[in-house]
Amino acid sequence: MSKYKVVTAHCVHAMLLQHTAFIAGVSTPAVKRFRDEFADVLKRLSENPFQFPPYEDPNLPKDVYRGAFFANWYKAVFSVSDNVVYLDAVIDCRAKSDTFWADK
C-alpha cells in the first residue's frame, strides 16, 4: 500500500527518453532492465522514500534531496514534503551532474 504520492517533474520524462534512447543503442535487454528497475524505484519511493540516503551535491541545498541508485549507473534525485515525493531528476552518474541542473 502506498503511503507517499510520487510526483515527477516535467523534465524527468525527457531525461528518461534520453537515457532509454542511449541504452537502446547499446542493448535492448538493458532497456527492459532499466524500465523494470525504475518502476521498482517508483514503488519503493511510494512506500518509504527515507530508505534512500541523502543526495550530496554542492550545487543543491544540503539535506533537501535524496537519491536512489538503479540500473548500475542511474540515480533518481528527489525531495520529500509531507506525504509527497517530488522526483526532480534521473541522472546518468557517468556524466557531470551540473549539466542536468542548467535549466533550473
Side-chain angles (χ1 to χ4, degrees):
M1 180 176 200
S2 298
K3 296 178 184 176
Y4 294 85
K5 177 181 178 181
V6 179
V7 176
T8 59
H10 186 265
C11 63
V12 169
H13 301 287
M15 290 176 177
L16 290 171
L17 288 173
Q18 181 182 17
H19 298 322
T20 55
F22 171 76
I23 297 167
V26 177
S27 167
T28 303
V31 174
K32 183 179 181 325
R33 275 195 311 277
F34 177 88
R35 182 197 66 203
D36 293 346
E37 289 187 30
F38 181 69
D40 184 57
V41 165
L42 291 177
K43 180 179 180 227
R44 291 174 63 195
L45 286 174
S46 71
E47 293 168 351
N48 178 14
F50 297 102
Q51 66 185 293
F52 299 105
Y55 182 63
E56 303 293 332
D57 185 314
N59 300 313
L60 298 174
K62 188 172 175 68
D63 299 327
V64 173
Y65 289 94
R66 302 180 89 73
F69 272 113
F70 69 100
N72 295 332
W73 299 105
Y74 296 90
K75 184 179 264 190
V77 179
F78 62 93
S79 60
V80 182
S81 179
D82 298 322
N83 288 344
V84 181
V85 176
Y86 296 97
L87 180 57
D88 291 318
V90 174
I91 59 173
D92 181 341
C93 293
R94 295 172 292 185
K96 292 175 67 176
S97 64
D98 59 348
T99 61
F100 294 101
W101 300 102
D103 293 339
K104 288 203 164 202

